[in-house]
Amino acid sequence: METYAEPKELSREEFAALLEERVQASLNMSVSEFIAGLEDGRLDPESPRVASLAILVGARAR
Amino acid sequence: LWVREPAKSPAAARKRYVRFFQLSLSCLTKAIWVFGPGPASQPEDVVALVASDAPIHLRRSNGLGDLFLTPTQLFKIIPDTRFPGEYKARTLAYIYSVHVDSEDAENAELIAWHWHPLTTPDRVEPHMHVQATPPLGLKLHTPSGRVSFEQVVRFLVDDLNVEPRRKDWRTVIDECDQRFRAFRTWG
């Protein structure tokens, strides 16, 4: 088989920073605002821009 | 044919899981899986996986327009009851979203495979969203059964004409898929 790159493990802080960056870039809000939006029903946990990030932050959507 | 690689510790099982998952991803792209601690609301052993590229750019053959893939997954390592003293990964959630425009994912999603029981306790079954004629759109939760990332890779290449990144992609994806099927505990 051909060679391939290795997966990269991030620390809790590094992964949190990556999530913050992606939520900001995709939805123009902070992770805490994102979680609040999921929990109070303002954000649809199944919409294309939200779904992949929602499973990563662990909020229970209303 | 493939050889079983026993994982005698949770760390070994995690390493094995992400290594084969990376092999599957390497069929499509140079992007890598990036993984780290899962959501704070979940137990500490939950691991989150995202791609290094957000989204992954996929080129297609025959002059077809490019596609974009956004894959994410949560998993944890559990004792493998079939092999005492060994460990395996257990998937907890996944989203595999395919869209046509990286700048407008909200309106450009073609198809997405979802399983997110932790996020939506009222919808715990795997399902898919498919771009359909309005007013149906993407809102339908079409039952799908469990879909592996390896199945998605094969679908992208065989049905959507995505150009594989490696010549041996079919051998690689077949082996990874066989491993998945051999060790999955549901679906």
Side-chain angles (χ1 to χ4, degrees):
Chain A
M1 288 182 183
E2 296 175 26
T3 56
Y4 65 97
E6 292 287 335
K8 182 178 182 182
E9 182 169 12
L10 301 183
S11 68
R12 183 172 296 281
E13 293 72 25
E14 290 171 329
F15 200 80
L18 177 66
L19 275 185
E20 195 73 48
E21 180 184 304
R22 294 203 175 178
V23 170
Q24 190 69 44
S26 183
L27 297 159
N28 196 29
M29 62 178 68
S30 67
V31 167
S32 57
E33 291 171 321
F34 180 59
I35 291 173
L38 285 167
E39 291 180 339
D40 67 17
R42 279 180 291 128
L43 291 174
D44 175 1
E46 305 240 23
S47 74
R49 283 191 300 167
V50 171
S52 61
L53 294 166
I55 69 169
L56 300 174
V57 301
R60 283 199 166 200
R62 194 172 73 175
Chain B
L1 289 177
W2 52 274
V3 178
R4 198 172 76 82
E5 296 182 23
K8 298 289 188 182
S9 69
R14 189 169 72 162
K15 186 176 181 181
R16 179 184 63 187
Y17 184 70
V18 296
R19 182 162 57 85
F20 283 107
F21 220 46
Q22 182 62 46
L23 265 177
S24 297
L25 186 64
S26 75
C27 292
L28 298 175
T29 175
K30 288 184 177 178
I32 60 172
W33 289 110
V34 177
F35 62 103
S41 60
Q42 295 297 313
E44 283 194 2
D45 59 349
V46 174
V47 180
L49 270 169
V50 299
S52 56
D53 293 3
I56 295 169
H57 191 168
L58 304 172
R59 299 193 187 285
R60 293 203 287 172
S61 57
N62 302 328
L64 295 168
D66 294 348
L67 293 176
F68 299 87
L69 172 67
T70 303
T72 55
Q73 192 186 96
L74 290 185
F75 73 92
K76 69 175 183 178
I77 301 300
I78 61 171
D80 190 340
T81 55
R82 292 169 294 190
F83 303 101
E86 296 183 25
Y87 296 84
K88 68 182 289 289
R90 179 178 189 179
T91 310
L92 300 175
Y94 62 73
I95 303 281
Y96 307 130
S97 169
V98 179
H99 41 102
V100 294
D101 180 7
S102 64
E103 299 299 318
D104 189 15
E106 194 65 34
N107 295 310
E109 191 170 67
L110 288 180
I111 186 168
W113 293 267
H114 282 196
W115 181 51
H116 38 66
L118 302 174
T119 313
T120 57
D122 58 336
R123 181 171 291 114
V124 299
E125 298 295 329
H127 57 274
M128 56 195 293
H129 298 272
V130 182
Q131 187 66 263
T133 305
L136 298 179
L138 287 162
K139 293 291 184 183
L140 296 180
H141 301 86
T142 308
S144 67
R146 183 180 185 179
V147 173
S148 70
F149 184 69
E150 289 74 22
Q151 288 175 290
V152 172
V153 170
R154 195 180 284 121
F155 172 76
L156 286 167
V157 177
D158 284 341
D159 291 73
L160 293 182
N161 294 99
V162 168
E163 294 180 350
R165 196 186 70 82
R166 49 191 303 163
K167 293 176 182 173
D168 61 350
W169 79 274
R170 196 174 292 281
T171 302
V172 170
I173 210 66
D174 285 350
E175 177 182 333
C176 292
D177 193 41
Q178 287 166 18
R179 286 179 182 277
F180 166 75
R181 291 173 189 276
F183 293 104
R184 67 183 173 183
T185 49
W186 69 279

